[in-house]
Amino acid sequence: MSRAERLLELIQLLRRYRRPVRGETLAIELGVSIRSLYRDIATLRAQGATIEGEPGLGYVLRPGFMLPPLMFSEEEIEALVLGSRWVAERADGHLALAARNALTKIVAVLPSDLRDEAGASSLLVGPGEQLATGDQEIATIRKAIRAEQKLLISYVDAKSGVTERVVWPIALAFFDHCRVVAAWCETRRDFRHFRTDRIKTIKGLDVRYTRRRVVLLKEWRAAEGIPEQ
């Protein structure tokens, strides 16, 4: 384990403890000497981490500290590159551009060795099918989800029947062959799933739904048997 990876692991350990934890305990979990642990804590403090405590009393990490990108491991870099490439190929144009821009910003501040690793990553995204839903429709859905606002949609079901519904969108799933909106449907008074390629028309209502999205998302996960992430 490199020192950068060890510092990252130390931060993760400290985040798991809400009360002060003894240095000896941390050293044992990291597999390092107590002297090395003290040096690592000093390094993290110099980088801006608010680690309170001292030898013999224990240490606790106060919230708010974010590690710089140089602390990413090689596998984490690969995950970021692969994820960004997938979004760039499979998501709508706005989100694809955001993914490319985010990856560019991350790579720009990496140490040279990790920057080379990111540029030469062999994890690729294969070509996918062009989906029918336009970028503007997907952008409207994503905006409504972020703002917790209702949508008025005209939806074509599997039997070609058309219905008009007011829905509360809570999640958007990207599959290789389609995109699906999970939403509370005011017509059905229950959660429903809508394929975006079957949405004939869509309009943002600029009206917030009456319950918080995080609560609805939790209820939807429970109803679908999807574990919390």
Side-chain angles (χ1 to χ4, degrees):
M1 180 187 297
S2 67
R3 186 156 190 260
E5 290 175 320
R6 193 173 74 237
L7 291 174
L8 175 60
E9 183 65 20
L10 175 55
I11 284 291
Q12 302 300 345
L13 279 176
L14 287 168
R15 282 177 175 154
R16 292 208 297 263
Y17 290 98
R18 296 190 177 184
R19 297 180 181 277
V21 54
R22 292 176 59 83
E24 290 81 0
T25 301
L26 294 171
I28 291 172
E29 292 197 48
L30 288 172
V32 300
S33 68
I34 191 66
R35 182 172 296 181
S36 294
L37 176 79
Y38 292 154
R39 285 199 299 265
D40 290 347
I41 287 176
T43 298
L44 289 174
R45 282 172 168 169
Q47 292 182 3
T50 306
I51 301 175
E52 298 180 354
E54 58 185 77
L57 298 179
Y59 298 92
V60 63
L61 175 68
R62 296 305 177 193
F65 177 65
M66 297 294 293
L67 286 170
L70 62 87
M71 303 303 294
F72 292 142
S73 68
E74 291 182 1
E75 287 190 343
E76 288 169 338
I77 291 296
E78 285 189 331
L80 286 170
V81 171
L82 180 60
S84 297
R85 287 175 176 173
W86 194 95
V87 172
E89 291 294 329
R90 297 288 193 272
D92 60 276
H94 300 290
L95 206 57
L97 179 60
R100 294 189 185 99
N101 289 342
L103 184 60
T104 298
K105 291 177 181 178
I106 291 172
V107 171
V109 296
L110 289 173
S112 58
D113 56 338
L114 290 181
R115 192 182 307 129
D116 293 340
E117 287 288 336
S121 175
S122 58
L123 303 183
L124 307 176
V125 177
E129 181 180 339
Q130 186 67 34
L131 301 181
T133 311
D135 288 356
Q136 188 56 51
E137 288 82 358
I138 294 297
T140 298
I141 294 169
R142 291 196 291 105
K143 180 181 177 181
I145 291 173
R146 289 195 302 268
E148 299 185 349
Q149 291 181 341
K150 300 180 181 183
L151 291 172
L152 174 63
I153 65 172
S154 178
Y155 191 71
V156 182
D157 62 26
K159 297 181 180 179
S160 299
V162 181
T163 57
E164 192 170 83
R165 312 192 186 195
V166 174
V167 299
W168 307 358
I170 59 173
L172 179 61
F174 290 79
F175 298 93
D176 281 339
H177 302 294
C178 67
R179 302 176 181 122
V180 177
V181 183
W184 175 266
C185 176
E186 290 190 356
T187 301
R188 302 300 184 190
R189 303 300 300 169
D190 201 356
F191 294 110
R192 288 291 186 271
H193 302 103
F194 303 95
R195 286 181 51 148
T196 60
D197 57 322
R198 291 180 179 171
I199 296 177
K200 191 174 181 181
T201 62
I202 184 170
K203 179 182 178 181
L205 294 182
D206 199 25
V207 176
R208 289 179 65 92
Y209 35 84
T210 56
R211 303 179 65 199
R212 295 304 307 274
R213 183 173 65 89
V214 64
V215 175
L216 291 169
L217 193 59
K218 186 174 182 179
E219 292 178 357
W220 170 74
R221 286 182 181 279
E224 294 296 319
I226 300 174
E228 294 287 340
Q229 295 181 344

